[in-house]
Amino acid sequence: MHESIQSCVFKNGWLGESEKKLFGRQRDLHDPVEMRFGITLERFSATLQHPLPGAQWGGIITRMALKAFENNTIEAVVTLHRTRENQFFSQPVLAETAQEIYDSRGNKPVLSPVLRSLETAYRKGIKKLLVIGAACHLHVLRDFQERFTYLQDMEIFTIGIPCVDNIDRQRWPWVLKRMSRSPLSAMHMEFMQDFRIHIRHTNGMVEKVPFFSLPQELSDPSIFPVACMSCFDYLNSLADVTVGYLAAELRPDEKRQWVLVRTQKGKTLIDAIRNELTCYPEEGKWDCKKFVMNTAEATIASMKVQSRTYSPDRKIPLWLGHILSGVLSLAGPKGIGFAHYSTDFHLIRHYYYVRERFPEQLERLVPRHVRSILEEYDLPL
Ligand SMILES: Cc1cc2nc3c(=O)[nH]c(=O)nc-3n(C[C@H](O)[C@H](O)[C@H](O)COP(=O)(O)OP(=O)(O)OC[C@H]3O[C@@H](n4cnc5c(N)ncnc54)[C@H](O)[C@@H]3O)c2cc1C
């Protein structure tokens, strides 16, 4: 824990030097796509031809981990299992068998001490390791790799998830109760590209809640951990390969995912399962400026520190929220345009969150491309 704090982004800042050390350069401020998605060798959408049941989406991450284990690229995986008591809660694990790797699939939408098992891996003498984590984990890991020679003796592969709006586990029951009409039977939850949260229940039913119809209490920034609201690496840019869904087309009959291959190690991991994937080029129109500008002012205003009480009521009734989500799914940004919009929305939200609460941290925390993006929208720095 002590070492994690030493290597934390709050000490080192997001990206910056770490990005330079990994790629030999920082992202190009003249390349609008790289500014948002980070440095990549290749990006595409893909479906796993045989999706893994119980995975968060199609299961590309777990399949890559399993394959790397099967072909001896790695000996173990630093990742998470669910706890027995609550399937949304995580416990760190060093997965050393195919079954243990398979059991790590699925999201645990709570802050999680993933890197705890790194020490277990070292003590067991593991030399080839895979680490799966969110951006905050990978930032700390990259710094550990610089600081500790014993990690330099290990060959470490990394897979990143895009991550945003993670929750403190004490808060989770309160949040879930406000999202779902049946929190006790909820077993899977995801914020999707159709502007709705999809919550799957034990009976297989999928409850869809439009973002616009969530209770107003859930728009209180203080319900999210300070660390997550100060995150400037949604797309996990220090991972060897990032797998999300943001720029992938949402199709009812397919679980398309979005793959961002960043390094040769990432290419090794994805190449090993390429024959199990159906791949599609990225699609959608890049431009989403109007769409971002429509919400920017309200987003910035909502980041102000204010002593207001948030109502438990929905701002917009569910039926109207569904109409709005439907219209936006048709008329709003899609594919890379949606990923562009979502990345910019979160950068704007987090910049003003930090500026309001921790102005003295702005210089250290915020990577330089964020300022360039804010300037594109003529937003005050
Ligand atoms: C809080 C949260 C928010 C997310 N937001 C987005 C988003 O906005 N856009 C987007 O494209 N993708 C997002 N993702 C990632 C996305 O939900 C999927 O995990 C990703 O698309 C991989 O799907 P998969 O089926 O291949 O994963 P799986 O094969 O099911 O593997 C998922 C892997 O992620 C690990 N994992 C789960 N929860 C955590 C956690 N809390 N911390 C660290 N590791 C974890 C699992 O242990 C497992 O190894 C988010 C994930 C989380 C946890």
Side-chain angles (χ1 to χ4, degrees), residues 143-156:
D143 199 54
F144 278 1
Q145 286 180 292
E146 287 281 315
R147 289 175 57 209
F148 302 121
T149 42
Y150 69 85
L151 288 181
Q152 288 157 14
D153 294 339
M154 285 166 135
E155 187 164 24
I156 300 183

PDB file of all heavy atoms in Angstrom, residues 143-156:
ATOM      1  N   ASP A 143       5.162   2.540 -12.959  1.00  0.00           N
ATOM      2  CA  ASP A 143       6.133   3.191 -12.074  1.00  0.00           C
ATOM      3  C   ASP A 143       6.890   2.141 -11.251  1.00  0.00           C
ATOM      4  O   ASP A 143       8.107   2.249 -11.067  1.00  0.00           O
ATOM      5  CB  ASP A 143       5.418   4.196 -11.163  1.00  0.00           C
ATOM      6  CG  ASP A 143       6.409   5.198 -10.578  1.00  0.00           C
ATOM      7  OD1 ASP A 143       7.145   5.826 -11.372  1.00  0.00           O
ATOM      8  OD2 ASP A 143       6.494   5.318  -9.341  1.00  0.00           O
ATOM      9  N   PHE A 144       6.161   1.109 -10.806  1.00  0.00           N
ATOM     10  CA  PHE A 144       6.834   0.010 -10.081  1.00  0.00           C
ATOM     11  C   PHE A 144       7.921  -0.610 -10.971  1.00  0.00           C
ATOM     12  O   PHE A 144       9.000  -0.941 -10.500  1.00  0.00           O
ATOM     13  CB  PHE A 144       5.827  -1.098  -9.756  1.00  0.00           C
ATOM     14  CG  PHE A 144       4.979  -0.861  -8.527  1.00  0.00           C
ATOM     15  CD1 PHE A 144       5.098   0.278  -7.761  1.00  0.00           C
ATOM     16  CD2 PHE A 144       4.057  -1.824  -8.136  1.00  0.00           C
ATOM     17  CE1 PHE A 144       4.312   0.479  -6.633  1.00  0.00           C
ATOM     18  CE2 PHE A 144       3.265  -1.644  -7.009  1.00  0.00           C
ATOM     19  CZ  PHE A 144       3.397  -0.493  -6.256  1.00  0.00           C
ATOM     20  N   GLN A 145       7.595  -0.770 -12.251  1.00  0.00           N
ATOM     21  CA  GLN A 145       8.572  -1.400 -13.155  1.00  0.00           C
ATOM     22  C   GLN A 145       9.851  -0.576 -13.254  1.00  0.00           C
ATOM     23  O   GLN A 145      10.929  -1.109 -13.460  1.00  0.00           O
ATOM     24  CB  GLN A 145       7.955  -1.604 -14.546  1.00  0.00           C
ATOM     25  CG  GLN A 145       6.948  -2.747 -14.573  1.00  0.00           C
ATOM     26  CD  GLN A 145       6.355  -2.942 -15.961  1.00  0.00           C
ATOM     27  OE1 GLN A 145       5.609  -2.093 -16.443  1.00  0.00           O
ATOM     28  NE2 GLN A 145       6.673  -4.045 -16.607  1.00  0.00           N
ATOM     29  N   GLU A 146       9.703   0.746 -13.109  1.00  0.00           N
ATOM     30  CA  GLU A 146      10.874   1.625 -13.104  1.00  0.00           C
ATOM     31  C   GLU A 146      11.646   1.495 -11.801  1.00  0.00           C
ATOM     32  O   GLU A 146      12.863   1.505 -11.777  1.00  0.00           O
ATOM     33  CB  GLU A 146      10.417   3.093 -13.180  1.00  0.00           C
ATOM     34  CG  GLU A 146       9.907   3.534 -14.515  1.00  0.00           C
ATOM     35  CD  GLU A 146      11.068   3.827 -15.434  1.00  0.00           C
ATOM     36  OE1 GLU A 146      12.019   4.488 -14.982  1.00  0.00           O
ATOM     37  OE2 GLU A 146      11.018   3.371 -16.592  1.00  0.00           O
ATOM     38  N   ARG A 147      10.886   1.372 -10.710  1.00  0.00           N
ATOM     39  CA  ARG A 147      11.498   1.497  -9.386  1.00  0.00           C
ATOM     40  C   ARG A 147      12.093   0.199  -8.841  1.00  0.00           C
ATOM     41  O   ARG A 147      13.044   0.235  -8.082  1.00  0.00           O
ATOM     42  CB  ARG A 147      10.453   2.014  -8.386  1.00  0.00           C
ATOM     43  CG  ARG A 147      10.076   3.469  -8.596  1.00  0.00           C
ATOM     44  CD  ARG A 147       8.947   3.874  -7.659  1.00  0.00           C
ATOM     45  NE  ARG A 147       9.275   3.660  -6.270  1.00  0.00           N
ATOM     46  CZ  ARG A 147       8.383   3.395  -5.318  1.00  0.00           C
ATOM     47  NH1 ARG A 147       7.107   3.302  -5.613  1.00  0.00           N
ATOM     48  NH2 ARG A 147       8.754   3.209  -4.083  1.00  0.00           N
ATOM     49  N   PHE A 148      11.504  -0.946  -9.218  1.00  0.00           N
ATOM     50  CA  PHE A 148      11.912  -2.197  -8.568  1.00  0.00           C
ATOM     51  C   PHE A 148      12.578  -3.154  -9.545  1.00  0.00           C
ATOM     52  O   PHE A 148      11.943  -3.627 -10.483  1.00  0.00           O
ATOM     53  CB  PHE A 148      10.710  -2.862  -7.898  1.00  0.00           C
ATOM     54  CG  PHE A 148      10.038  -1.979  -6.888  1.00  0.00           C
ATOM     55  CD1 PHE A 148       8.702  -1.643  -7.018  1.00  0.00           C
ATOM     56  CD2 PHE A 148      10.758  -1.455  -5.818  1.00  0.00           C
ATOM     57  CE1 PHE A 148       8.088  -0.807  -6.096  1.00  0.00           C
ATOM     58  CE2 PHE A 148      10.154  -0.628  -4.894  1.00  0.00           C
ATOM     59  CZ  PHE A 148       8.814  -0.297  -5.032  1.00  0.00           C
ATOM     60  N   THR A 149      13.854  -3.467  -9.255  1.00  0.00           N
ATOM     61  CA  THR A 149      14.593  -4.339 -10.178  1.00  0.00           C
ATOM     62  C   THR A 149      13.952  -5.714 -10.264  1.00  0.00           C
ATOM     63  O   THR A 149      13.996  -6.351 -11.305  1.00  0.00           O
ATOM     64  CB  THR A 149      16.062  -4.491  -9.732  1.00  0.00           C
ATOM     65  OG1 THR A 149      16.050  -4.663  -8.327  1.00  0.00           O
ATOM     66  CG2 THR A 149      16.889  -3.308 -10.128  1.00  0.00           C
ATOM     67  N   TYR A 150      13.348  -6.179  -9.164  1.00  0.00           N
ATOM     68  CA  TYR A 150      12.791  -7.537  -9.234  1.00  0.00           C
ATOM     69  C   TYR A 150      11.650  -7.603 -10.246  1.00  0.00           C
ATOM     70  O   TYR A 150      11.385  -8.658 -10.815  1.00  0.00           O
ATOM     71  CB  TYR A 150      12.366  -8.066  -7.855  1.00  0.00           C
ATOM     72  CG  TYR A 150      11.174  -7.411  -7.201  1.00  0.00           C
ATOM     73  CD1 TYR A 150       9.886  -7.827  -7.503  1.00  0.00           C
ATOM     74  CD2 TYR A 150      11.336  -6.419  -6.243  1.00  0.00           C
ATOM     75  CE1 TYR A 150       8.789  -7.245  -6.880  1.00  0.00           C
ATOM     76  CE2 TYR A 150      10.250  -5.834  -5.625  1.00  0.00           C
ATOM     77  CZ  TYR A 150       8.979  -6.253  -5.943  1.00  0.00           C
ATOM     78  OH  TYR A 150       7.902  -5.683  -5.337  1.00  0.00           O
ATOM     79  N   LEU A 151      10.992  -6.480 -10.509  1.00  0.00           N
ATOM     80  CA  LEU A 151       9.946  -6.490 -11.552  1.00  0.00           C
ATOM     81  C   LEU A 151      10.579  -6.415 -12.939  1.00  0.00           C
ATOM     82  O   LEU A 151      10.026  -6.905 -13.911  1.00  0.00           O
ATOM     83  CB  LEU A 151       8.975  -5.325 -11.357  1.00  0.00           C
ATOM     84  CG  LEU A 151       8.023  -5.447 -10.168  1.00  0.00           C
ATOM     85  CD1 LEU A 151       7.093  -4.239 -10.096  1.00  0.00           C
ATOM     86  CD2 LEU A 151       7.188  -6.723 -10.256  1.00  0.00           C
ATOM     87  N   GLN A 152      11.762  -5.803 -12.999  1.00  0.00           N
ATOM     88  CA  GLN A 152      12.439  -5.730 -14.305  1.00  0.00           C
ATOM     89  C   GLN A 152      12.888  -7.121 -14.759  1.00  0.00           C
ATOM     90  O   GLN A 152      13.063  -7.378 -15.936  1.00  0.00           O
ATOM     91  CB  GLN A 152      13.636  -4.777 -14.237  1.00  0.00           C
ATOM     92  CG  GLN A 152      13.187  -3.325 -14.140  1.00  0.00           C
ATOM     93  CD  GLN A 152      14.233  -2.407 -13.527  1.00  0.00           C
ATOM     94  OE1 GLN A 152      15.399  -2.766 -13.396  1.00  0.00           O
ATOM     95  NE2 GLN A 152      13.813  -1.209 -13.137  1.00  0.00           N
ATOM     96  N   ASP A 153      13.050  -8.035 -13.801  1.00  0.00           N
ATOM     97  CA  ASP A 153      13.435  -9.411 -14.154  1.00  0.00           C
ATOM     98  C   ASP A 153      12.243 -10.233 -14.628  1.00  0.00           C
ATOM     99  O   ASP A 153      12.388 -11.381 -15.029  1.00  0.00           O
ATOM    100  CB  ASP A 153      14.049 -10.127 -12.940  1.00  0.00           C
ATOM    101  CG  ASP A 153      15.368  -9.490 -12.548  1.00  0.00           C
ATOM    102  OD1 ASP A 153      15.961  -8.822 -13.413  1.00  0.00           O
ATOM    103  OD2 ASP A 153      15.773  -9.645 -11.383  1.00  0.00           O
ATOM    104  N   MET A 154      11.042  -9.674 -14.498  1.00  0.00           N
ATOM    105  CA  MET A 154       9.849 -10.405 -14.946  1.00  0.00           C
ATOM    106  C   MET A 154       9.430  -9.873 -16.303  1.00  0.00           C
ATOM    107  O   MET A 154       9.566  -8.672 -16.559  1.00  0.00           O
ATOM    108  CB  MET A 154       8.674 -10.135 -13.993  1.00  0.00           C
ATOM    109  CG  MET A 154       8.729 -10.830 -12.684  1.00  0.00           C
ATOM    110  SD  MET A 154       7.501 -10.016 -11.639  1.00  0.00           S
ATOM    111  CE  MET A 154       6.712 -11.374 -10.916  1.00  0.00           C
ATOM    112  N   GLU A 155       8.871 -10.759 -17.142  1.00  0.00           N
ATOM    113  CA  GLU A 155       8.281 -10.254 -18.372  1.00  0.00           C
ATOM    114  C   GLU A 155       6.793 -10.017 -18.082  1.00  0.00           C
ATOM    115  O   GLU A 155       6.061 -10.959 -17.761  1.00  0.00           O
ATOM    116  CB  GLU A 155       8.445 -11.251 -19.509  1.00  0.00           C
ATOM    117  CG  GLU A 155       7.975 -10.614 -20.783  1.00  0.00           C
ATOM    118  CD  GLU A 155       8.418 -11.337 -22.030  1.00  0.00           C
ATOM    119  OE1 GLU A 155       8.692 -12.540 -21.955  1.00  0.00           O
ATOM    120  OE2 GLU A 155       8.464 -10.680 -23.068  1.00  0.00           O
ATOM    121  N   ILE A 156       6.394  -8.749 -18.145  1.00  0.00           N
ATOM    122  CA  ILE A 156       5.019  -8.412 -17.753  1.00  0.00           C
ATOM    123  C   ILE A 156       4.223  -7.930 -18.968  1.00  0.00           C
ATOM    124  O   ILE A 156       4.619  -6.979 -19.647  1.00  0.00           O
ATOM    125  CB  ILE A 156       5.008  -7.338 -16.635  1.00  0.00           C
ATOM    126  CG1 ILE A 156       5.750  -7.886 -15.410  1.00  0.00           C
ATOM    127  CG2 ILE A 156       3.573  -6.951 -16.267  1.00  0.00           C
ATOM    128  CD1 ILE A 156       5.761  -6.970 -14.202  1.00  0.00           C
TER     129      ILE A 156
END
